[in-house]
Amino acid sequence: MKSNRLKWLAAPYGVWAAGFIIIPLVMIVFYAFTSQETGGFTLANFDDVFTGEVMKALGLSLGLALVSTLICILLAYPLAMILAGMKVSQKSFIVFIFILPMWMNFLLRTFAWQTLLEKNGVINTVLGAINLPPLEIINTPWAIVFGMVYNFLPFMILPIYNVLIKLDQDVVNAARDLGASSFQTFWKVTFPLSLPGVISGVTMVFIPSLTTFVISDLLGGGKILLIGNMIEQEFKQLNNWNVGSAMSMILLLFVIVSMVVENKYDKTGEGTAL
Amino acid sequence: MKNKLIDLVNISKSYDGVTVLDELNLYIRENEFLTLLGPSGCGKTTTLRILGGFERPDHGNVFFNGNDITGLPPNKRQLNTVFQKYALFPHMSVAENISFGLKIKNKPQGYIDDKIRYALKLVNMDGYENRYPAALSGGQQQRVAIARAIVNEPKVLLLDEPLGALDLKLRQDMQYELMRLKNELGITFVYVTHDQEEALTMSDTIVVMNQGYIQQIGTPEDIYNEPQNAFVADFIGDSNILDGRMIRDKLVEILGVKFDCVDTGFGENKPVDVVIRPEDVELVKPEKGILSGRVTSIIFKGVHYEMEVHANGYDWLVHSTRLQEVGKEVGIYVDPFNIQIMNKPESTDEEAVPVEE
C-alpha cells in the first residue's frame, strides 16, 4: 500500500504532537490531582478552584465571551452575505481589507488599542477637539469585549462566508419560487443551511475569548480578572502549578463541550475550512 | 387555438457584454407542452429564468394573462420551477419540502396533509414523507421536486433540464410520467432541454434556439420533417446537409448531379442548402441509383444499420435495416418528396454550429 509507505512522513509531526500537546496535557492532569506539599494524590486543588473569586472570574469570562461572540455574529453574518454575493474581482479587495489586521501581531494590535482608547489617548483627543464627550471605555469590561471582537471577528466571517458561497443558489431560488419573500427565504432556508458555518465561527470566537488573558490585561487595566488571568496568576505569581492546572482543567471542560457541540452540527467540516 | 398565456416581447439579455438573448419574441398558449431546445449557451435556460423571475431582461417585457410581470419577483408569479439539480431543501424531509409553498401561503394543516399525500401519489412516491433528500436517488429527488412544485397549483410549470442527470432508462420512463402528469394536471409546461429526442417525444410545440435567436417554432413533426435551416436540420436528428443549386422549380443540383424535388419558389440558379435524412437515402443497385458509390463503414445500431457511402466526394450517412457489405458498390436514390431545400443563411447566427454533447 502506497499510503503505508508514506506514513513515516508523519513521524516529525507525531514527535511534535507528543512533545507539545500530549505530554503537557498529561502534566496538567497530573498536577491538578497532586498536592503541592506532599506530591500525593488529592482533590484539594479543586477546592481552591470552586471559590467565589475564581467562579466570579469564570462567570465574567463566560459572559464577556458570549457577548463578544454575539456581536461577532451580528457583524460578520451580513458582511459574509454581502461578500458571498459579490463578483470575484470586488471580493478579493474586501477580503484583503478585513484580513489585513490579521497579518499584524496580535499583541501589537491590542497594545495599539490600549493607546488609542486611553483617557488622554488619540480617540479622546480627537473627540475633545470636535467638542464631543470623551469615550470612557478603557479599563471597563466593554473595552475587553471590544478587544475580543476586534481580534476574533475574521474567525467568524470566514467560516460563514465559506458556507454561504457553497450554498446552491437554486435552493434559495426554489424558496422564492415557492412563494417565500426574501425575509422568509432567509430564515427558512439560507440561515438554517449556513448554521454549520455559524457554529464553527462561534467556537472559533468563543473559545479564544473565553481563555484570553492578554486582552483583559491590556484593555482591562489589570483590574478586571478573567479566568485566563486567574490561571496566569496561579502559575506565574503564586507559583502554584497544581491549583493552576486544576483551573485549566475546568476551562478545558468548556472547550471540550464547545468542540463537541461544533462537531455535532458541522459534520462535513465545511465551516472549519479556512 | 387556445389563447396566449405568456407573451415574451422583444426580450434581450446580456451578461458582461455577451449577448445571450437578442430581441426574442415568443408566446406560450394555455395547456401547451412547449420545449425550448438548443445547444448549451443558446439562451434557453436564460429564457426560462426570465419566465421564473430569477433574471430580469435588459430590454423587453413578459406578459402573463395580459399583465406585465417583467418586474415581479418570483414569489409573486403564478408559476413554479423544477430546477436542473432538483434544488430540494436538504434540511427538510420530503413532506416538509412539499409543504413549503403551502405553509408560506398559510393553508390549513388538513389541506396541506391531503396535498402531500396527493402529490406523492401522483409522482409514485407514497410512503416517502419522512425521508430526507440525501437518502433519495436522483430519480426520486426529481419526483419530489416535481411534487413540491405542483402542490401549489401553478398555471405554468417550468422545467429546466429536469432529466439531465438521470440514466437513459429512467429518463425515458420519466418522459412518459411527465406527459401523463401534464394531462392529469391540465396545466402549461415549459420545458428546457438540449436532448432533441426528449423534445420530439414530449412536446406539443418545439422552439429551436441557437446563439440567442429562435431558429424555428413548430410541432415536432414540422421541426423534423421541414427544418427551416441547416442548423435545425443538423440539430434535430442526423442528416446529410449538402450544398446545392436550385436549377429551376422542382430540380436541384447536388454534387454535380440533378435530383428531382418538390420545392418551388427558390428562383433559378440559386445556391441552397439541401437536407436529406439518413433514413430517406435508399441504397439500390448501382445502375438504378441517381448516383453511385462505395460503402465505407457499417455500424449496427439496434433498430437499423448506420452506414457511410462515399459517392461523388461526399460521405452519405445512411440508415437502413438491410445490411450491405463494406466496399460494395451501391446506387443512391432519394425520393423527390424527401429532399428538403432551404435558403442559405443570411446571417451568421443562423449558421449551423457544431453541437457539443
Side-chain angles (χ1 to χ4, degrees):
Chain A
M1 286 288 280
K2 199 178 176 183
S3 58
N4 274 338
R5 274 194 286 128
L6 290 175
K7 259 187 185 166
W8 61 270
L9 282 173
Y13 178 72
V15 171
W16 179 277
F20 299 114
I21 301 174
I22 311 285
I23 294 175
L25 267 176
V26 171
M27 283 171 74
I28 286 177
V29 176
F30 174 77
Y31 274 111
F33 289 104
T34 50
S35 157
Q36 194 180 22
E37 289 85 32
T38 64
F41 176 82
T42 180
L43 289 173
N45 295 326
F46 288 91
D47 292 341
D48 286 336
V49 174
F50 295 110
T51 59
E53 203 189 356
V54 179
M55 285 298 112
K56 205 182 128 201
L58 184 63
L60 187 63
S61 296
L62 283 169
L64 294 188
L66 222 60
V67 170
S68 308
T69 308
L70 211 67
I71 294 174
C72 278
I73 294 178
L74 293 178
L75 289 176
Y77 205 103
L79 178 61
M81 268 192 102
I82 294 166
L83 216 55
M86 275 184 170
K87 287 179 190 160
V88 184
S89 52
Q90 306 167 310
K91 218 183 268 185
S92 48
F93 178 70
I94 307 275
V95 171
F96 173 76
I97 289 290
F98 80 73
I99 285 188
L100 193 63
M102 288 174 78
W103 289 338
M104 274 166 251
N105 182 279
F106 167 72
L107 262 182
L108 214 58
R109 275 180 280 156
T110 311
F111 267 118
W113 277 112
Q114 190 188 26
T115 318
L116 286 170
L117 292 174
E118 263 171 359
K119 283 223 161 60
N120 301 314
V122 178
I123 289 177
N124 280 341
T125 311
V126 173
L127 286 176
I130 51 175
N131 284 325
L132 283 172
L135 199 63
E136 284 170 13
I137 170 174
I138 191 78
N139 300 346
T140 69
W142 291 111
I144 299 173
V145 168
F146 179 85
M148 289 171 174
V149 171
Y150 180 79
N151 278 306
F152 304 132
L153 184 61
F155 297 102
M156 183 66 85
I157 298 170
L158 286 176
I160 297 176
Y161 167 75
N162 263 324
V163 170
L164 286 179
I165 45 166
K166 283 186 205 143
L167 199 66
D168 182 357
Q169 210 45 51
D170 269 348
V171 172
V172 177
N173 282 339
R176 300 280 281 144
D177 184 76
L178 293 166
S181 65
S182 28
F183 184 76
Q184 286 168 318
T185 303
F186 177 79
W187 286 112
K188 284 173 191 286
V189 176
T190 313
F191 187 69
L193 289 179
S194 69
L195 269 182
V198 174
I199 287 165
S200 188
V202 165
T203 35
M204 287 169 80
V205 171
F206 184 72
I207 295 176
S209 298
L210 184 66
T211 53
T212 188
F213 65 93
V214 173
I215 296 174
S216 46
D217 227 22
L218 295 180
L219 301 179
K223 284 177 222 142
I224 300 164
L225 294 180
L226 299 185
I227 186 73
N229 302 96
M230 300 294 280
I231 294 172
E232 192 210 6
Q233 273 185 5
E234 286 295 338
F235 276 93
K236 290 179 72 182
Q237 287 163 31
L238 304 172
N239 238 333
N240 191 338
W241 286 32
N242 305 71
V243 173
S245 295
M247 284 184 194
S248 300
M249 280 193 67
I250 299 297
L251 196 52
L252 201 62
L253 201 70
F254 282 94
V255 175
I256 290 169
V257 168
S258 308
M259 300 297 280
V260 168
V261 169
E262 203 233 317
N263 273 325
K264 188 168 178 284
Y265 286 97
D266 187 15
K267 291 195 182 77
T268 52
E270 266 177 27
T272 41
L274 266 172
Chain B
M1 236 8 230
K2 290 158 206 153
N3 38 341
K4 288 183 192 177
L5 184 63
I6 296 173
D7 211 349
L8 296 168
V9 182
N10 294 330
I11 300 284
S12 295
K13 178 79 188 171
S14 56
Y15 295 102
D16 299 324
V18 179
T19 304
V20 180
L21 294 174
D22 195 2
E23 296 288 311
L24 178 120
N25 284 287
L26 175 69
Y27 64 86
I28 299 162
R29 285 186 291 255
E30 217 166 296
N31 210 358
E32 183 173 34
F33 195 129
L34 180 132
T35 299
L36 301 169
L37 174 67
S40 45
C42 73
K44 56 189 193 299
T45 296
T46 305
T47 308
L48 199 77
R49 295 178 77 84
I50 286 173
L51 276 174
F54 309 115
E55 302 281 353
R56 268 201 202 194
D58 299 337
H59 305 289
N61 295 84
V62 184
F63 293 95
F64 187 89
N65 255 341
N67 302 314
D68 190 338
I69 61 162
T70 319
L72 219 55
N75 53 324
K76 301 263 191 265
R77 298 188 179 203
Q78 284 175 296
L79 1 100
N80 284 115
T81 309
V82 177
F83 291 89
Q84 190 169 7
K85 279 178 254 143
Y86 326 129
L88 296 177
F89 305 124
H91 59 305
M92 296 181 196
S93 68
V94 167
E96 285 166 334
N97 262 282
I98 295 174
S99 61
F100 186 90
L102 301 172
K103 281 189 184 145
I104 293 280
K105 289 176 198 99
N106 287 321
K107 301 281 188 200
Q109 192 57 45
Y111 175 87
I112 292 177
D113 291 341
D114 283 349
K115 272 289 187 183
I116 294 173
R117 227 171 298 126
Y118 160 79
L120 283 176
K121 210 174 172 64
L122 206 61
V123 295
N124 287 325
M125 288 280 289
D126 337 39
Y128 283 84
E129 285 87 343
N130 298 319
R131 297 273 202 102
Y132 277 81
L136 301 176
S137 72
Q140 290 170 332
Q141 291 187 33
Q142 191 57 78
R143 285 160 191 265
V144 175
I146 292 168
R148 182 178 70 174
I150 60 179
V151 288
N152 303 290
E153 298 175 354
K155 289 258 173 66
V156 181
L157 193 63
L158 307 175
L159 302 108
D160 186 7
E161 306 217 23
L163 311 183
L166 307 181
D167 61 56
L168 182 67
K169 186 76 182 74
L170 196 56
R171 200 156 67 216
Q172 286 169 342
D173 290 346
M174 282 302 287
Q175 286 174 13
Y176 293 113
E177 294 258 337
L178 282 174
M179 288 156 72
R180 175 181 65 82
L181 264 178
K182 195 204 152 278
N183 291 333
E184 277 180 34
L185 296 168
I187 60 175
T188 308
F189 274 36
V190 181
Y191 193 94
V192 159
T193 184
H194 63 268
D195 184 331
Q196 41 104 1
E197 219 175 283
E198 212 166 272
L200 292 173
T201 307
M202 296 191 290
S203 320
D204 298 319
T205 306
I206 296 177
V207 179
V208 185
M209 296 179 70
N210 189 33
Q211 299 186 351
Y213 295 91
I214 292 175
Q215 304 292 323
Q216 187 171 357
I217 303 177
T219 64
E221 288 89 346
D222 287 344
I223 301 274
Y224 190 85
N225 293 329
E226 305 284 340
Q228 271 170 18
N229 60 38
F231 173 80
V232 177
D234 191 41
F235 194 74
I236 309 289
D238 297 319
S239 38
N240 296 291
I241 301 175
L242 303 118
D243 285 327
R245 197 161 55 85
M246 206 67 188
I247 294 170
R248 56 180 147 80
D249 279 355
K250 299 189 180 182
L251 190 66
V252 64
E253 187 187 285
I254 312 163
L255 305 170
V257 181
K258 294 184 179 66
F259 280 75
D260 286 322
C261 63
V262 295
D263 295 81
T264 58
F266 283 89
E268 290 187 4
N269 277 320
K270 179 103 191 297
V272 288
D273 277 328
V274 180
V275 170
I276 300 168
R277 294 287 178 191
E279 64 270 25
D280 293 331
V281 179
E282 294 169 43
L283 297 184
V284 292
K285 288 197 175 110
E287 61 276 14
K288 289 198 174 167
I290 304 171
L291 41 82
S292 63
R294 212 172 277 279
V295 178
T296 54
S297 80
I298 297 174
I299 299 167
F300 177 60
K301 285 281 191 181
V303 184
H304 58 257
Y305 295 96
E306 185 180 289
M307 293 177 275
E308 272 190 355
V309 177
H310 191 79
N312 288 29
Y314 181 80
D315 287 316
W316 293 74
L317 188 67
V318 182
H319 289 174
S320 170
T321 51
R322 295 207 358 232
L323 180 61
Q324 307 286 338
E325 281 167 47
V326 173
K328 191 183 167 191
E329 178 95 8
V330 291
I332 285 177
Y333 175 80
V334 186
D335 190 288
F337 187 76
N338 288 328
I339 295 179
Q340 309 297 331
I341 309 285
M342 296 169 297
N343 280 314
K344 285 271 184 195
E346 283 161 23
S347 59
T348 48
D349 47 74
E350 283 180 20
E351 245 165 52
V353 290
V355 177
E356 292 161 39
E357 275 301 327

